Amino acid sequence: MVIAESRVECMVVHRVGNPTRGEPLQLSERTTMVDEAVSGLLLDGYLKGIVSDRKKHQFVHETDLNLNEIYHYTRQFFRGEVDFLEVSQRIAKHLYGRSQHPNISAGDLLVIQFAGLSDGDREMRALGVFKSEIRDDFLTIIDGAGVFDISHASGINPRLIDKGALILEHGPTVYAVDRLSREAKFWLDDFLKALRVPDKASSSKMLASVVEQLSGEIEDPMQQARFKDELLQLVESQPEEVQAKALTAAAERFVPREQVEVALGSAAESYGFELDDEARLPAKGVAKQLEKTLSRYGVGHGISVLLPSGITLKNIQSQNDGEGGLSLTLFLNKREL
């Protein structure tokens, strides 16, 4: 996405509370004046801060994409069926209806119309939807006839996005971020109904997390070590790319298929997308991720050791001295790459 020539067309601010606490929805009846300085902050903070491949998502719906409220409302706007103020109020009402979780804070909702964006082939518009839940404190210097005083002010930091979405004019793509998702994952799941679009980097990281989870479920230390070695060797034997299903198939030789499916499902929930079995991922990238996640080896008795890259566990001998003392002898191998 090219945003170098982008500009702010108009903006409106609504205040969205939490209805479960009796907090109101306050809708603006007109757009906000945006001068050159404010426009520069919006472009440099909100727009640049959200356009990233790591934040690329796609609108979804269980039955029909047109039943996704935010997708439907914004399509109406881009087709010229509703004006900017009307679509912003519909978005605010939808957000208010989805703010039922007790941990959702009230905040200011900024809806911004951007123009001049480009996907490389065509220029397009976009709607930015940003909710600010946290106000920052600032100190300002006041110059009064040669005497400098300090005053306190509170405001929104446009370079720190609490919750945001950039909805493009064409297609179901939306850039989205939720910095406070630990409290309540309603922004992506309930409000936007959007899933992350996987790229090779995120898919590689997700696959490594699945392997790490499965490794931790293997109780026998030596069986766990063989599991790790086999998967690392499989990845490192590939010249350029490795297929995701090759690693899951190798994992099934050590753990039941059901455990693999549970681990994949858990990772899909965490990462916001499902891993494509046919995905071909960069072998070096996957190997690097696996080296990080598989460096810890369980050696029994609730003890784990962290081994350096290229070193693997060959065998373990344990001896109890009969007085409560325990000796562990680890035999290590240098893995051939």
Side-chain angles (χ1 to χ4, degrees):
M1 181 61 59
V2 181
I3 61 174
E5 302 298 324
S6 57
R7 60 190 181 275
V8 174
E9 293 284 288
C10 51
M11 182 180 80
V12 66
V13 181
H14 305 296
R15 182 154 293 169
V16 181
N18 187 321
T20 63
R21 293 196 292 266
E23 297 168 350
L25 168 65
Q26 298 172 271
L27 298 176
S28 295
E29 296 299 329
R30 63 170 178 81
T31 58
T32 302
M33 297 293 294
V34 180
D35 59 24
E36 187 175 344
V38 172
S39 178
L41 285 172
L42 295 175
L43 292 170
D44 191 56
Y46 284 134
L47 186 59
K48 288 185 179 179
I50 201 168
V51 176
S52 164
D53 285 343
R54 294 184 295 105
K55 297 167 185 169
K56 187 179 288 187
H57 291 67
Q58 181 170 310
F59 286 116
V60 295
H61 193 272
E62 296 82 0
T63 56
D64 184 347
L65 184 58
N66 290 307
L67 297 178
N68 180 307
E69 289 90 341
I70 298 300
Y71 179 79
H72 175 63
Y73 297 153
T74 54
R75 290 315 104 182
Q76 288 182 313
F77 168 72
F78 289 129
R79 290 195 300 261
E81 297 170 6
V82 296
D83 63 21
F84 173 74
L85 184 61
E86 173 66 21
V87 74
S88 75
Q89 291 177 343
R90 291 186 183 185
I91 290 171
K93 290 175 183 177
H94 176 62
L95 177 60
Y96 186 66
R98 292 298 183 273
S99 300
Q100 303 284 339
H101 193 282
N103 288 339
I104 296 175
S105 301
D108 296 314
L109 184 71
L110 285 70
V111 183
I112 308 166
Q113 181 184 343
F114 296 102
L117 289 79
S118 172
D119 61 1
D121 297 321
R122 57 189 171 181
E123 186 175 303
M124 68 176 71
R125 296 170 295 167
L127 281 178
V129 181
F130 302 93
K131 185 187 179 192
S132 176
E133 297 179 346
I134 299 176
R135 287 184 170 269
D136 287 340
D137 293 326
F138 302 95
L139 293 176
T140 59
I141 306 298
I142 303 173
D143 181 2
V147 177
F148 297 96
D149 291 318
I150 291 181
S151 178
H152 166 267
S154 176
I156 299 171
N157 185 349
R159 292 183 176 84
L160 196 60
I161 302 173
D162 294 338
K163 291 176 170 61
L166 184 73
I167 303 152
L168 304 182
E169 181 175 6
H170 304 293
T173 300
V174 53
Y175 292 93
V177 61
D178 184 358
R179 188 170 61 90
L180 306 175
S181 61
R182 296 183 303 275
E183 295 298 324
K185 296 183 178 181
F186 85 104
W187 183 259
L188 289 172
D189 296 346
D190 299 331
F191 172 60
L192 292 175
K193 289 193 177 76
L195 293 177
R196 184 175 175 184
V197 176
D199 55 19
K200 290 185 176 181
S202 59
S203 295
S204 299
K205 190 173 181 180
M206 176 183 177
L207 184 58
S209 72
V210 170
V211 173
E212 181 182 21
Q213 179 178 334
L214 294 174
S215 172
E217 295 173 1
I218 300 175
E219 295 183 2
D220 181 75
M222 296 313 305
Q223 186 76 348
Q224 184 188 85
R226 283 190 288 272
F227 168 82
K228 295 179 178 182
D229 291 344
E230 184 167 325
L231 266 65
L232 279 169
Q233 289 170 9
L234 171 62
V235 174
E236 292 168 348
S237 67
Q238 305 301 311
E240 293 183 3
E241 294 182 322
V242 61
Q243 209 163 9
K245 67 179 180 182
L247 268 76
T248 55
E252 288 175 12
R253 291 197 288 271
F254 293 85
V255 295
R257 174 188 290 270
E258 292 75 15
Q259 280 183 250
V260 176
E261 291 176 349
V262 168
L264 286 169
S266 176
E269 185 175 346
S270 297
Y271 282 79
F273 63 87
E274 292 185 0
L275 185 66
D276 182 2
D277 274 352
E278 302 299 324
R280 304 190 70 86
L281 306 174
K284 287 185 178 179
V286 175
K288 187 176 181 180
Q289 289 290 342
L290 290 179
E291 286 280 6
K292 290 180 182 178
T293 58
L294 299 183
S295 58
R296 186 180 298 277
Y297 287 75
V299 294
H301 309 282
I303 301 171
S304 296
V305 295
L306 194 64
L307 299 182
S309 177
I311 301 298
T312 186
L313 185 63
K314 181 181 178 181
N315 202 357
I316 308 169
Q317 288 183 358
S318 62
Q319 184 175 356
N320 194 324
D321 63 5
E323 298 179 358
L326 176 68
S327 298
L328 289 176
T329 304
L330 306 182
F331 297 87
L332 307 178
N333 266 350
K334 187 173 183 181
R335 192 162 43 83
E336 294 184 6
L337 303 179

